[in-house]
Amino acid sequence: MAYWAAAPVKRYDVKMRPRFIRWGAAALVLALPFVTHVVLGQGWVRILDFALLYVLLALGLNIVVGYAGLLDLGYVAFFAVGAYCYALFASPQFDLHWPLWALLPMGALLAACFGVLLGTPTLGLRGDYLAIVTLGFGEIIRIFLNNLNAPVNITNGPQGVSLIDPLHVGPWFLEKTYHLGGIEVPLVINVYFLFLLAVVLAVHLSHRLENSRIGRAWAAIREDELAAASMGLNTRNLKLLAFAMGATFGGVSGGLFAGFQGFVSPESFTLQESVMILCMVVLGGMGNIAGVVLGAVLLSVLPEALRGLGGLQEFLFGRIWVDPSNLRLLVFGIALVLMMLMRPEGLLPASARQRELHESK
Amino acid sequence: MPCPLLEAVRIGKRFGGLRALNDVSLALGAGSITGLIGPNGAGKTTFFNVLTGIYKPDSGTVRFAGEPLPAGRPHAVAARGIARTFQNIRLFSNMTVLENVMVGRHVRTHAGVMGAVFRTAETRQEEAAIRDSARKLLDYVGIAAQAQRIAGTLSYGDQRRLEIARALATEPKLLALDEPAAGMNASERMQLANLVRRIREDGTAILLIEHDVKWVSQLCDHITVLDYGECIAEGTPREVLAHSKVIEAYLGKGVA
């Protein structure tokens, strides 16, 4: 019985790569902030911290877009909900100082509720129509936060909430600079490891969801919703579940963001952020964890790296010809267009997606 | 039929000005094979869609196993025990053959998010059971060797079989097949007829739409004929085929 023996064909699976590559990658990821700190300075470690935060966001959106096939252009709203949840309960705003371990789950839960809130009116919509409604939802949340300073001041309006408590995990005070055997471990490196822990958990969670009864049901809905419903899948509940699960990731990363920045304001949660997170998912490879991680890291690091274009011009031509801040976005845009033209299925596509795109060829 | 498994009474369905179904009634018993025939556009597929909860009927009721069937909620209908296939095959074409059938097991299994996240012993057992019964079903319809292929790459006939396996995975009491033999050659049709008979013998009633009158009349115990949304004849194949209205519907006036 050959077909029994054959290992189930799985989508690009982290576990299938040779062991030494995995250990090597793990060592690299652990050493990266220290090396970056020494070679490129604090600013670059901070960029890495944000890259990890974006990985978390992209993994959350991947559940909605990649697994369940629901196009969401308002994902940043859940990030905002998580961030404000942390900000309001751990700052002088209401003089509340709740601990991280309570606020992160609370933010996740609240974001999940908002996920259901967004999901409910959009159940009958797909594709472009769904995208428009979710886009509106994202804007509504931002505008709410912007205006909830009157008649009762809750969010402080456009000024935002400041002096937010720094991240404390038990005895680990992230704002402190530690010295481990002569190596300096400042805030940015502490944060790197906390965010890394969150990313590892998120990857694990995504992987398990993807390869479960629920993940299979999401895939079926993505493929053919009518057929899925006729096979007894409660498409309404499953879609709401996808929205809620995706939103929890956004809520957690929002809390981490607020604690790290010490300040949140509505302008951090614009449509552009939603679009950027969606780009990360699509460019990396919808539905594939490794691809989404790669997409998020690339798209958050690349714009920063392109700041070096000014220095490059000076080096090559002896003077700056084009303003690097303009050039940077141009090059970034061109890079996005080229990547999507050459690999429409993303850098590391899920095998199912690849088939969807190449079916017609 | 003392206690019919399915009883559709005076089903009516309109689309704007078009009366797609007009007081169509149909009853079928457990363990029967019932055919639904009629010319193109007679309303057969509309009737199927009403039965399986995709459309809500404008009038009439459907009772299944003695209780009214939820209208307009296909997943609830599947849970009650009616599974279907589609006229224009609707597989999850980018998933593997095995995964397609595993999706069919969804409605009879329970693992949720927590089970998935913590991968409890119970969840792992359920998952293994799902995989196991999916493989058995593939074997049952005769495409076990294709288990790891992508559903969309199967031959036409095998895709039809896969759709049947996926439907059977929901453990239906009634299997509704919408033109299962369309596009098949004579030997494939014969194999399909054998499969349908076997499914019936294993305890599942069958309702099927088909164009090929000869094939249907060899297979079915009972036939209902639709034309222009109305039921024009019903009975055993022999009775139905001798009915003047049926001959008229198929061959035109004057022949009968």
Side-chain angles (χ1 to χ4, degrees), chain B residues 19 89 112 123 199 209 224:
Chain B
R19 192 180 280 177
I89 304 172
T123 309
I199 293 170
I209 293 178
T224 296

Side-chain angles (χ1 to χ4, degrees), chain B residues 148-170:
Chain B
Q148 296 303 340
R149 278 182 64 182
I150 299 307
T153 66
L154 290 187
S155 73
Y156 188 77
D158 284 353
Q159 290 197 18
R160 288 261 178 229
R161 283 165 187 273
L162 175 54
E163 244 197 339
I164 293 173
R166 186 181 67 176
L168 287 175
T170 68

Side-chain angles (χ1 to χ4, degrees), chain A residues 142-203:
Chain A
R142 185 178 63 81
I143 292 166
F144 250 98
L145 294 172
N146 214 10
N147 291 293
L148 273 181
N149 53 348
V152 184
N153 185 8
I154 299 172
T155 63
N156 234 4
Q159 277 99 50
V161 182
S162 49
L163 297 172
I164 298 169
D165 298 349
L167 300 163
H168 291 172
V169 184
W172 185 22
F173 286 46
L174 276 76
E175 76 275 23
K176 271 195 187 168
T177 299
Y178 291 89
H179 293 275
L180 289 180
I183 303 171
E184 195 191 348
V185 188
L187 164 73
V188 283
I189 295 184
N190 284 323
V191 167
Y192 178 91
F193 284 106
L194 178 64
F195 288 8
L196 186 64
L197 184 71
V199 165
V200 169
L201 275 176
V203 166

Side-chain angles (χ1 to χ4, degrees), chain A residues 208 213 216 224 355-356, chain B residues 90 94 106 109 111 117 127:
Chain A
R208 287 210 157 167
R213 172 172 171 268
R216 201 161 48 230
D224 187 330
R355 291 191 291 267
E356 276 163 38
Chain B
R90 302 186 77 137
N94 295 300
H106 187 94
T109 46
V117 169
E127 195 66 13

Side-chain angles (χ1 to χ4, degrees), chain A residues 269-294:
Chain A
F269 311 108
T270 56
L271 173 63
Q272 200 191 336
E273 289 294 315
S274 290
V275 173
M276 201 59 169
I277 302 165
L278 185 64
C279 280
M280 291 167 176
V281 174
V282 174
L283 183 130
M286 266 188 275
N288 180 31
I289 297 169
V292 169
V293 171
L294 180 67

Side-chain angles (χ1 to χ4, degrees), chain A residues 196-241:
Chain A
L196 186 64
L197 184 71
V199 165
V200 169
L201 275 176
V203 166
H204 189 65
L205 220 68
S206 297
H207 188 256
R208 287 210 157 167
L209 277 177
E210 182 185 338
N211 298 295
S212 72
R213 172 172 171 268
I214 303 289
R216 201 161 48 230
W218 283 335
I221 291 175
R222 188 184 70 210
E223 291 271 319
D224 187 330
E225 195 170 334
L226 182 71
S230 296
M231 289 305 117
L233 272 57
N234 187 331
T235 54
R236 180 196 60 194
N237 289 0
L238 284 162
K239 281 157 84 175
L240 288 180
L241 183 65

